Amino acid sequence: MRALIVASAALLTACSAEPGATPTKVEGALQPVSITLPAETAALPATPAGELVTQRCTACHSADMIARQPPLTAEKWQATVTKMREAYHAPITPADEPAIVAALVTLQGAPPPR
Amino acid sequence: MLPRSPDRREALTLLGLGGAGLATGAAAQQVDLGFAGGTRQLSGDWPQKGSMIVLRERAPLLETPLSAMDGQVFTPNDRFFVRWHYQDIPTAVDPATFRLRVGGAVRRPVALSLADVHKLPRVEIAAVNQCSGNSRALFSPRVPGAQWGDGAIGNALWSGVRLRDVLDLAGVAPGAANVRVSGLDRPPPGAPWFAKSLSVDHARDGEVMIALAMNGAPLPMLNGYPIRLIVPGWYSTYWVKALDRIEVLTGEYDNYWMTKAYKIPATPDAGVQPGAKDFPTVPINRMTPRAFFTSVDRATKVVANDPFYVRGLAMGGASAVARVDLSMDAGRSWHAARLAPDQGKYGFRLWEATIGGLPRGGYRLWARCTNADGQTQSMDAIWNPGGYMRSQIASVAVTAA
């Protein structure tokens, strides 16, 4: 611990804050704004599992939401798929779920997208 | 903003950073967020945004590299993190026709133009905006959700008007209990609107405000242009972006986003045993203290026997930063870091220290924040299934050679 010397040098004086700094007035300055979002690049592998999940699971969010999840058990994927259906009204039926869950588990083993 | 310290260049040399990890260039740079699968591309492709870590393209989740916050209390607008739930987000707003509607249990529902809002008394506050799931990817065991590193956080000087004054234009009716807030984003068919609620007392506390500007400039569209709610000390799930509806309720708000999502265990530290289920929960609310390293990577190299400079940012959560302490012996002893001037109790506070020369070898350096209420960070990580409220003491590995 002897190594941790907190020096007395007045380094902080170099960091003079701006208390009471008044921001630029933006009154009346709000202009019509429009933005263009970049083209989507996230994609799942062109395998049967990737295609099934792309088809059933990318209507509301890009594929990276799925591809970037940590490794999850089939049970956890099942819970996620059920949540998509119940909470967000994903257009799938309980009967569709086993195949989707199996595809998600398969994809996890596959190399990440991009 | 804080001017760069003259020691900055020297510090970088000493630390052997040499610009690595400083995300200032164009796309195609990589950052390592410090967890398995956490190597990410930086992208400069997002409108009104500089180089950001893309977690999800649609709806956008953009994380701020911690190095982009180094040496300054206020996070630049073009590096401020972005978090939307639903893909249908506002991409065009005409401020001339925009209306903020206040209705429900009020005496007189109103539809306010931005000019009407501008007429109210102006207030200004520095406040940290932190996602409830910031640092979720560092949970162990891992949990599903947006895999944020530590960068779903930023501090800005927000200027605008009090929510109380806006509510008073409509006149809160007797019996009002909660205030529901929502914005221009829309759910997929059948899904619940993204809307949140605050108690009337909280909404009228004079601190909760509606921001018309962020760091002296209009809000970037992706951060909620033209106006967003600011709930100082609380997690950003309540800071509704592109706020256009305020509804005063006489009862509880039973929407999914209040009753199912963003719920934390009702334990003192929001932690439960990994895998636990069926425990009592409450809606996430106040933030807790945290300190971050911004000038060094999580694995940093220094020159043996030469003092080195390190700095970062701290937040107190629901009260001011009281102190930041550093340890090199896993918390057995702590030494105060210097704090830069306080710019508001809900904002970031810059901390820094010079560490005496270390003999060759490997070390770990911890930074711990304590707030004015005496609340402090723990060495132990919490766990909960939502991946919320991580605030374990941060540390970096230091190799002296």
Side-chain angles (χ1 to χ4, degrees):
Chain A
M1 196 57 251
R2 69 209 177 300
L4 186 66
I5 301 162
V6 176
S8 56
L11 287 171
L12 282 184
T13 53
C15 302
S16 69
E18 296 179 334
T22 334
T24 324
K25 284 278 172 288
V26 290
E27 259 91 346
L30 291 183
Q31 299 298 321
V33 177
S34 74
I35 57 169
T36 306
L37 300 175
E40 195 161 310
T41 61
L44 295 170
T47 58
E51 275 156 18
L52 178 67
V53 173
T54 301
Q55 192 204 335
R56 308 312 302 267
C57 302
T58 59
C60 307
H61 45 67
S62 43
D64 41 8
M65 174 91 278
I66 296 161
R68 295 236 168 87
Q69 293 306 310
L72 299 173
T73 59
E75 186 197 358
K76 285 267 165 55
W77 278 120
Q78 176 66 61
T80 298
V81 172
T82 305
K83 175 179 172 183
M84 295 305 125
R85 182 168 51 75
E86 291 181 347
Y88 304 127
H89 289 233
I92 47 179
T93 65
D96 298 331
E97 291 182 5
I100 298 172
V101 170
L104 289 162
V105 171
T106 305
L107 279 178
Q108 256 181 187
R114 284 203 255 170
Chain B
M1 267 175 222
L2 302 177
R4 285 255 151 113
S5 140
D7 300 279
R8 161 103 177 140
R9 181 168 313 155
E10 189 198 356
L12 285 179
T13 318
L14 278 170
L15 295 167
L17 266 184
L22 295 179
T24 47
Q29 285 194 60
Q30 283 198 341
V31 281
D32 178 1
L33 299 179
F35 51 87
T39 302
R40 296 286 156 78
Q41 295 291 124
L42 285 163
S43 164
D45 293 346
W46 292 80
Q48 305 176 315
K49 289 283 149 185
S51 191
M52 300 295 286
I53 301 162
V54 182
L55 262 60
R56 182 180 69 196
E57 294 180 302
R58 171 172 54 90
L61 298 177
L62 310 179
E63 176 167 347
T64 306
L66 282 197
S67 58
M69 294 192 258
D70 183 43
Q72 52 197 346
V73 163
F74 294 113
T75 312
N77 291 0
D78 70 347
R79 308 302 293 280
F80 216 93
F81 82 98
V82 170
R83 195 268 182 266
W84 291 91
H85 298 80
Y86 291 141
Q87 60 187 349
D88 186 356
I89 61 172
T91 54
V93 172
D94 181 357
T97 56
F98 178 88
R99 292 293 178 273
L100 171 61
R101 295 192 155 74
V102 187
V106 295
R107 293 205 183 81
R108 179 173 61 104
V110 291
L112 305 171
S113 68
L114 289 173
D116 297 331
V117 177
H118 271 287
K119 284 183 207 131
L120 294 168
R122 295 300 286 267
V123 292
E124 193 170 271
I125 197 167
V128 169
N129 177 17
Q130 178 179 218
C131 179
S132 310
N134 193 26
S135 316
R136 177 181 289 122
L138 301 167
F139 266 61
S140 176
R142 300 276 296 265
V143 293
Q147 299 299 304
W148 300 107
D150 286 334
I153 191 169
N155 179 42
L157 186 62
W158 309 97
S159 52
V161 302
R162 292 183 194 93
L163 178 56
R164 182 176 65 206
D165 293 341
V166 169
L167 287 168
D168 287 352
L169 288 179
V172 172
N178 288 289
V179 175
R180 181 181 80 198
V181 281
S182 61
L184 293 172
D185 47 334
R186 292 290 173 269
W193 278 51
F194 184 76
K196 302 291 292 188
S197 70
L198 297 174
S199 73
V200 166
D201 288 347
H202 188 186
R204 292 180 40 86
D205 73 356
E207 285 187 339
V208 177
M209 62 173 281
I210 296 173
L212 296 153
M214 172 177 177
N215 295 325
L219 279 65
M221 183 75 76
L222 291 172
N223 293 109
Y225 186 85
I227 55 175
R228 83 178 292 176
L229 196 69
I230 306 302
V231 188
W234 284 47
Y235 284 98
S236 52
T237 180
Y238 296 96
W239 300 39
V240 165
K241 294 177 292 300
L243 173 72
D244 76 332
R245 282 184 200 210
I246 300 174
E247 187 87 358
V248 179
L249 310 174
T250 51
E252 293 295 311
Y253 185 39
D254 59 1
N255 164 293
Y256 167 83
W257 293 103
M258 283 303 293
T259 59
K260 298 258 170 42
Y262 292 110
K263 296 291 287 288
I264 54 166
T267 57
D269 64 354
V272 287
Q273 282 300 318
K277 289 186 177 117
D278 301 327
F279 42 82
T281 62
V282 293
I284 195 165
N285 49 85
R286 291 175 191 80
M287 298 190 286
T288 56
R290 294 190 76 174
F292 301 92
F293 292 87
T294 58
S295 69
V296 293
D297 278 338
R298 57 192 69 253
T300 194
K301 290 197 174 66
V302 301
V303 176
N305 305 310
D306 262 2
F308 69 97
Y309 173 78
V310 58
R311 71 178 166 198
L313 293 167
M315 57 176 283
S319 72
V321 171
R323 51 186 301 132
V324 171
D325 296 286
L326 303 180
S327 174
M328 288 194 72
D329 56 9
R332 276 190 294 284
S333 60
W334 292 97
H335 299 258
R338 289 181 301 277
L339 295 177
D342 189 354
Q343 313 229 10
K345 67 175 184 171
Y346 296 114
F348 272 149
R349 188 108 184 238
L350 201 142
W351 63 265
E352 62 177 3
T354 301
I355 315 271
L358 298 171
R360 299 166 77 88
Y363 303 85
R364 185 158 281 276
L365 175 61
W366 282 264
R368 177 186 74 181
C369 178
T370 305
N371 73 14
D373 294 336
Q375 205 182 358
T376 194
Q377 291 180 263
S378 165
M379 284 300 241
D380 302 320
I382 60 157
W383 189 92
N384 56 56
Y388 296 132
M389 289 189 72
R390 184 179 163 96
S391 54
Q392 186 190 19
I393 296 171
S395 68
V396 292
V398 179
T399 307

